[in-house]
């Protein structure tokens, strides 16, 4: 029986017509190699079968070149575009991703961590807002791999965070409503536990105070970010007979609930009430009226987060422990001056 000689890096270099050093860079640091050169090396790797050898070396080094992503709900409208950014940047650097849909279940989260303990994943991207379950407090953090949080920061932990500037985005959203003449602006999404909600409420309060508009506690209602919470909050304001001229919602799903409530009551929107969202998820431009909102730079968040995590895997210290990207004001049809059609 004949044994086929295993391909070497020299074979790849010869076939691609480049140096051994260039082959190494194309495999380990592909972004530092010209597209045409990278293509030649990739084709040579495929023809020689050198990929198998590279994987074997990776196993010997106890590196998988895979990143584990833990998300409480992969159906979250913000998740998919951030994931695209994460995957795009990982692929450029020769990494793949594994997705763990935890469904807010500690048992599922612990189960997914087997990819870390068995060296099937080198680092973690956290959408959960907390350190992974399954690691004890006694020395547990020391056993965790490099991690980066996105979407929601991890409280009381030194985990780098990449996300939208929630405070600034909400401040800009409130200023837009004020610029249209609104003085009685309700905020739906008050929370004492969700960092995103708290930051967006702080931005709302800061904008009102800067405009010398008194913050009315009756205009601030709790909400968990769901459509139902938006609908219920709007209904609650009618029951109390305390009505704003505009609603600032903690996210677009909440804004949809407010629109449903107001449409059910046959109000003319935005003539009677203005509604402002946050996130600019896919349906925001299709509701009636089309939703004015703050757009998250989701692709860029994913790219920045993966770039930061891979830098950590290379032993580099992050220049910034927190990277905040600006949200963009998207003006559509759900906001107008009080009592006037847009």
């Amino acid at each position: 029986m004949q044994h086929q000689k295993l391909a070497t890096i020299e074979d790849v270099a010869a076939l691609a017509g480049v140096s051994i050093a260039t082959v190494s860079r194309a495999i380990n640091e592909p972004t530092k190699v010209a597209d045409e050169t990278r293509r030649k090396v990739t084709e040579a790797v495929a023809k020689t079968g050198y990929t198998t050898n590279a994987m074997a070396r990776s196993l010997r080094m106890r590196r998988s070149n895979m990143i584990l992503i833990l998300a409480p709900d992969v159906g979250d409208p913000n998740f998919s575009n951030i994931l695209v950014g994460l995957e795009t940047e990982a692929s450029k650097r020769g990494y793949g991703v594994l997705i763990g849909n935890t469904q807010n279940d500690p048992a599922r989260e612990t189960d997914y961590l087997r990819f870390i303990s068995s060296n099937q994943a080198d680092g973690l991207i956290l959408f959960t807002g907390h350190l992974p379950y399954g690691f004890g407090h006694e020395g547990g953090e020391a056993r965790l791999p490099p991690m980066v949080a996105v979407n929601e920061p991890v409280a009381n932990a030194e985990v780098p965070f990449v996300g939208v500037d929630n405070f600034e985005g909400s401040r800009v959203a409130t200023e837009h409503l004020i610029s249209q003449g609104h003085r009685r602006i309700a905020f739906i999404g008050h929370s004492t536990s969700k960092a995103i909600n708290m930051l967006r409420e702080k931005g709302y309060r800061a904008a009102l105070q800067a405009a010398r508009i008194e913050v009315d506690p009756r205009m601030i209602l709790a909400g968990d970010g769901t459509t139902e919470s938006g609908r219920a909050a709007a209904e609650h304001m009618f029951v109390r007979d305390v009505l704003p001229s505009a609603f600032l919602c903690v996210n677009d799903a909440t804004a949809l609930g407010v629109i449903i409530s107001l449409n059910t009551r046959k109000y003319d929107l935005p003539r009677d009430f203005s509604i402002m969202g946050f996130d600019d998820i896919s349906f925001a431009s299709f509701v009636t009226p089309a939703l004015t909102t703050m757009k998250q730079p989701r692709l860029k968040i994913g790219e920045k987060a993966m770039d930061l995590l891979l830098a950590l895997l290379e032993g580099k210290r992050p220049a910034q422990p927190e990277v905040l990207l600006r949200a963009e004001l998207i003006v559509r049809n759900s906001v107008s001056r009080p009592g006037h059609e847009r």
Side-chain angles (χ1 to χ4, degrees), residues 60-71:
R60 288 198 300 272
M61 295 172 64
R62 300 180 69 82
R63 294 288 293 271
S64 67
N65 280 15
M66 298 295 291
I67 302 299
L68 176 61
I69 299 171
L70 291 181

Side-chain angles (χ1 to χ4, degrees), residues 220-287:
I220 301 175
L221 287 85
D224 60 7
T226 62
T227 298
E228 174 55 27
S229 72
R231 187 202 63 78
E235 290 297 316
H236 187 62
M237 300 204 84
F238 283 104
V239 170
R240 294 194 308 176
D241 198 25
V242 179
L243 297 177
S245 63
F247 292 85
L248 174 62
C249 301
V250 74
N251 60 18
D252 291 346
T254 300
L256 176 60
V258 173
I259 290 173
I260 290 171
S261 172
L262 298 177
N263 281 339
T264 300
R265 290 175 172 269
K266 308 299 183 183
Y267 282 104
D268 183 1
L269 306 179
R271 181 184 178 88
D272 297 325
F273 296 99
S274 288
I275 303 96
M276 182 91 189
F278 200 115
D279 291 337
D280 194 30
I281 59 179
S282 57
F283 73 74
S285 61
F286 299 111
V287 297

Side-chain angles (χ1 to χ4, degrees), residues 21-185:
T22 298
V23 173
S24 179
R25 279 197 301 273
I27 292 172
N28 299 304
E29 298 178 286
T31 57
K32 296 184 178 180
V33 178
D35 291 344
E36 180 61 21
T37 302
R38 188 168 62 246
R39 182 187 64 78
K40 289 179 180 179
V41 172
T42 300
E43 290 178 355
V45 165
K47 289 178 180 178
T48 61
Y50 184 68
T51 303
T52 302
N53 302 337
M55 290 175 63
R57 280 201 314 279
S58 178
L59 289 173
R60 288 198 300 272
M61 295 172 64
R62 300 180 69 82
R63 294 288 293 271
S64 67
N65 280 15
M66 298 295 291
I67 302 299
L68 176 61
I69 299 171
L70 291 181
D73 179 13
V74 296
D76 183 329
N78 287 309
F79 177 77
S80 59
N81 281 339
I82 295 178
L83 175 62
V84 170
L86 289 167
E87 285 190 312
T88 299
E89 189 62 27
S91 179
K92 287 179 183 177
R93 308 276 286 278
Y95 280 78
V97 299
L98 301 166
I99 301 173
N101 185 23
T102 69
Q103 299 179 17
N104 291 307
D105 182 348
R108 289 176 64 90
E109 191 167 309
T110 301
D111 190 45
Y112 280 122
L113 291 179
R114 71 185 187 277
F115 290 109
I116 298 294
S117 60
S118 62
N119 298 307
Q120 296 180 69
D122 302 325
L124 276 170
I125 295 288
L126 301 174
F127 281 77
T128 57
H130 59 254
L131 289 174
Y133 295 111
F135 286 86
H137 292 293
E138 297 181 2
E141 289 188 38
R143 294 186 289 117
L144 289 171
M147 296 177 292
V148 172
V150 297
N151 197 46
E152 188 167 351
V154 175
N156 304 317
E158 295 183 0
V159 178
F161 171 70
V162 180
V164 71
D165 190 334
N166 291 291
F167 172 87
E168 177 66 11
S170 184
R171 187 188 66 79
V172 170
T174 309
E175 285 183 347
H176 178 65
L177 292 171
I178 294 171
S179 73
Q180 296 300 301
H182 294 281
R183 308 281 297 179
R184 294 181 59 77
I185 303 170

